[in-house]
Amino acid sequence: MQKNYAGQPVITLNNGVAIPALGFGVWQMENLQQCEDAVVKAIEVGYRMIDTASIYLNETAVGKAIQNSGVSRDDLFITSKLWVQDHGYEETKVAFQRTLDRLQLDYLDMYLIHWPYGDFLGAWTALEELYSEGKIKAIGVCNFTIEKLQELKSKATVLPVINQIELHPLFQQKELQVYNRENNIVTQPWSPLGNGNTELLKDIHLKVIAEKNNKSVAQVILRWHLQEGFCVIPKSVTPSRINENFNIFNFDLSENEMNVVRSLDTGKRLFFDPKDPEWENKMLNSRADI
Ligand code: NDP
């Protein structure tokens, strides 16, 4: 049965599951009390989708917040991610159970492969099985390039529903956006606000649009993501911003305004490049068993 997220806009994934178009990210919330408070606040404000990962080391805090939120599990969409060190068929099954235990859940709405390194194909086979057993409602990936998506597609029996990638007005990945769309994969931007990048949040063109719409620059950026058809997951530990970032359903950007935001693309990442061998090596040697 389809969940109802209090009437919020949803995006239908390629397997028919609906995901709220706006969710709440919890990267860089290593302070567990801060994370728990932020997630409780987010759910109180109205967010119904939470995006965590085992590497964020805060799944236990997210689990507590879910318990304390007063909102039924069935009305929430919970995503977590498999860490690189846990790739491989058997390892993935163990890591998935650890994630469930930490979150105090008996299923995940979405489980994503965090980076396309190591034995991610073995991991995907495990995800497909967990999906067919109903323990995960939708499976997807993060940081996959077109080449990695093609490699996955050639082996997979279940296609990913989402590709979560760095994407914000300064770095729009238009070619990958198109590939995702043509393959029925929803684009989910990470760092949708450029991780709070000041150049972006102080951009003069965005300020003009914000003033005209009586909104903040952050709200304009998040609205742009929604109107592009992306599934967006801003992060904040600040109660007023958690509220502000949710308040984006009551205005529209014109096509002209959308084009102004599109024109800000510099083609330069602010973060890690999935194709960088040094980064890949660092990830493959990162801490195990988390
Ligand atoms: P965002 O782009 O959402 O930006 C968060 C930063 O912006 C924080 O410093 C926050 O400050 C600040 N901020 C939030 N709202 C506002 C506002 N309204 N006005 C001004 N500043 C604001 O960053 P993230 O990098 O966290 O990305 C979002 C989520 O994407 C992550 O939390 C995570 O769930 C996911 N992600 C996934 C990755 C992957 O590899 N799959 C990689 C990176 C992120 P403060 O908190 O102090 O309020």
Side-chain angles (χ1 to χ4, degrees), residues 24-29 34 50-53 56 81 83 112-115 141-143 164-166 168 189-197 201 216-219 222 233-242 244-245 271-272:
F24 187 68
V26 300
W27 181 39
Q28 296 174 317
M29 290 194 202
Q34 185 186 53
I50 312 294
D51 182 272
T52 185
Y56 301 168
K81 310 185 193 87
W83 190 239
L112 305 176
I113 289 187
H114 211 143
W115 287 92
V141 297
C142 308
N143 301 304
Q164 189 179 107
I165 53 173
E166 179 181 349
H168 40 76
W190 60 253
S191 293
L193 299 172
N195 197 250
N197 180 278
L201 291 171
S216 68
V217 167
Q219 287 171 318
L222 295 174
I233 45 170
K235 168 264 178 185
S236 177
V237 293
T238 314
S240 59
R241 289 174 173 172
I242 293 173
E244 177 185 328
N245 296 346
F271 292 101
F272 342 98

Side-chain angles (χ1 to χ4, degrees), residues 194-249:
N195 197 250
N197 180 278
T198 42
E199 187 193 330
L200 178 61
L201 291 171
K202 292 197 167 150
D203 181 90
I204 184 70
H205 306 94
L206 294 179
K207 273 190 175 169
V208 170
I209 299 175
E211 274 164 30
K212 187 160 163 263
N213 286 278
N214 215 7
K215 290 284 175 186
S216 68
V217 167
Q219 287 171 318
V220 167
I221 296 169
L222 295 174
R223 182 73 209 176
W224 171 79
H225 282 285
L226 283 188
Q227 287 185 215
E228 289 287 34
F230 304 147
C231 182
V232 67
I233 45 170
K235 168 264 178 185
S236 177
V237 293
T238 314
S240 59
R241 289 174 173 172
I242 293 173
N243 198 45
E244 177 185 328
N245 296 346
F246 190 74
N247 195 6
I248 56 169
F249 295 119

